[in-house]
């Protein structure tokens, strides 16, 4: 059950996303979508929305592992079955050889950001070759906190960018995703092949549900003092809001000057 501040009309939300997707594609004379399926909750939920919008026959799923390919690819094919994607629309590309040839290897964060951008380049290549827009998987929690590599999660559509991470479970359930997918915790497939929490350590300690609630109250006009009165720890409130403030610039990129004429 969602905290009251995060409650929303799941059915209406799904309907609006599906209808928006259909309307944009029809306006542009397009009929297919490409989506990167990492097998996590975000991408799988977006995959269900894509399939419900235009049918699985018109969705091209791309999986881009760089380690444990057999395990992750098996789950990718299972999700493709759930989304009713035909065999011709299922693609697995191991990107580890591309990463291995990069001469300026750095720390885990740098290399994980690099692999994310390589994955994005390949997804846009599939988009170009198939004349199909890229369907994104960025949720609102990641977007508001700037928890994504700059230009690393760009897409033609961002269907779930208005939905907090905590709210995605309900949407996945509404779309009939299996229980094990609904319950998946946010992870990131790092350069070293380990499963790290996608959020920074302090955000993990605070808890994603609390982070989402703090953000939701903030967007509803609550001051930090009022948030403390709601029961949140003062240090947690300040950390989340300061974390967002420091990364807010990502929402304004690229910087474009106003030219004098």
């Amino acid at each position: 059950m969602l905290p009251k501040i995060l409650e929303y009309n799941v059915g209406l939300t799904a309907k609006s996303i599906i209808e928006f997707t259909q309307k944009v594609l029809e306006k542009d004379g397009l009929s297919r979508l490409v989506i990167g399926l990492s097998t996590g909750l975000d991408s799988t939920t977006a995959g269900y929305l894509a399939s419900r919008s235009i049918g699985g026959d018109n969705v091209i799923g791309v999986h881009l592992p760089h380690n444990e390919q057999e395990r992750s690819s098996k789950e990718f094919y299972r999700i493709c079955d759930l989304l009713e994607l035909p065999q011709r629309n299922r693609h697995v590309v191991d990107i580890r050889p591309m990463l291995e040839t990069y001469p300026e290897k750095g720390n885990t964060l740098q290399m994980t950001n690099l692999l994310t951008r390589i994955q994005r380049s390949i997804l846009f290549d599939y988009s170009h070759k198939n004349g199909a827009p890229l369907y994104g998987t960025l949720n609102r929690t990641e977007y508001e906190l700037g928890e994504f590599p700059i230009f690393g999660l760009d897409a033609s559509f961002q269907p779930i960018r208005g939905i907090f991470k905590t709210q995605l479970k309900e949407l996945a359930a509404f779309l009939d995703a299996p229980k094990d997918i609904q319950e998946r915790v946010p992870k990131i497939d790092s350069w070293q092949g380990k499963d790290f929490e996608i959020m920074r350590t302090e955000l993990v300690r605070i808890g994603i549900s609390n982070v989402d609630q703090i953000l939701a109250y903030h967007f509803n006009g609550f001051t930090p003092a009022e948030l403390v009165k709601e029961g949140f720890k003062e240090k947690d409130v300040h950390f989340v809001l300061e974390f967002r403030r420091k990364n807010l610039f990502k929402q304004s990129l690229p910087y474009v000057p106003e030219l004098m004429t």
Side-chain angles (χ1 to χ4, degrees):
M1 185 174 178
L2 286 171
K4 188 171 182 59
I5 189 65
L6 294 175
E7 290 177 353
Y8 71 115
N9 189 319
V10 184
L12 186 59
T13 297
K15 182 175 183 288
S16 64
I17 294 171
I18 290 168
E19 290 182 349
F20 175 81
T21 302
Q22 294 169 336
K23 182 179 179 180
V24 172
L25 290 175
E26 182 179 1
K27 176 179 69 70
D28 293 342
L30 301 169
S31 60
R32 295 192 293 174
L33 291 168
V34 168
I35 183 167
L37 292 172
S38 68
T39 73
L41 174 60
D42 296 1
S43 69
T44 305
T45 303
Y48 271 97
L49 290 166
S51 182
R52 292 287 181 88
S53 297
I54 57 175
D57 282 354
N58 297 307
V59 177
I60 299 166
V62 185
H63 185 54
L64 301 164
H66 69 279
N67 62 73
E68 297 185 333
Q69 181 175 344
E70 183 176 353
R71 176 182 61 81
S72 65
S73 297
K74 182 178 180 180
E75 181 63 8
F76 164 71
Y77 288 120
R78 174 199 171 211
I79 290 172
C80 287
D81 288 340
L82 293 170
L83 301 181
E84 299 182 345
L85 272 58
Q87 292 296 325
R88 67 179 183 278
N89 288 1
R90 307 178 183 195
H91 304 275
V92 177
V93 181
D94 183 5
I95 67 168
R96 189 163 190 94
M98 304 177 199
L99 290 161
E100 292 286 7
T101 59
Y102 185 59
E104 301 295 332
K105 295 182 182 65
N107 60 34
T108 298
L109 178 60
Q110 178 209 333
M111 294 302 293
T112 300
N113 287 345
L114 178 65
L115 78 86
T116 302
R117 294 188 178 101
I118 290 174
Q119 289 171 331
R120 194 64 19 179
S121 297
I122 295 171
L123 290 173
F124 272 114
D125 184 53
Y126 272 91
S127 172
H128 173 75
K129 288 187 295 190
N130 290 279
L134 180 59
Y135 215 55
T137 61
L138 181 69
N139 65 57
R140 187 174 184 182
T141 306
E142 294 169 334
Y143 177 71
E144 297 294 353
L145 293 176
E147 275 288 273
F148 56 90
I150 295 172
F151 305 131
L153 291 179
D154 286 359
S156 304
F157 285 84
Q158 291 290 6
I160 61 172
R161 204 182 77 178
I163 304 171
F164 287 110
K165 185 72 179 184
T166 310
Q167 298 172 320
L168 277 172
K169 177 181 176 180
E170 279 68 23
L171 181 57
F174 178 83
L175 295 168
D176 295 324
K179 191 71 173 178
D180 67 299
I181 291 176
Q182 298 174 34
E183 299 291 343
R184 287 184 179 168
V185 296
K187 301 282 188 179
I188 188 167
D189 194 19
S190 77
W191 159 246
Q192 293 181 327
K194 299 176 183 177
D195 285 334
F196 288 105
E197 295 287 350
I198 196 168
M199 298 297 182
R200 308 295 183 188
T201 303
E202 188 66 10
L203 293 174
V204 173
R205 182 195 64 75
I206 295 170
I208 294 176
S209 177
N210 286 331
V211 169
D212 286 347
Q213 290 179 73
I214 290 170
L215 289 171
Y217 276 113
H218 172 68
F219 297 138
N220 276 274
F222 280 63
T223 65
E226 290 171 330
L227 279 166
V228 173
K229 288 182 180 179
E230 289 293 324
F232 299 99
K233 294 179 181 179
E234 183 177 4
K235 68 174 184 177
D236 293 348
V237 171
H238 285 290
F239 183 88
V240 171
L241 296 183
E242 180 62 12
F243 193 97
R244 178 177 185 268
R245 186 195 66 79
K246 288 181 178 179
N247 285 321
L248 197 58
F249 74 94
K250 293 184 181 181
Q251 297 183 17
S252 302
L253 297 176
Y255 300 129
V256 180
E258 290 188 16
L259 302 182
M260 293 182 291
T261 59

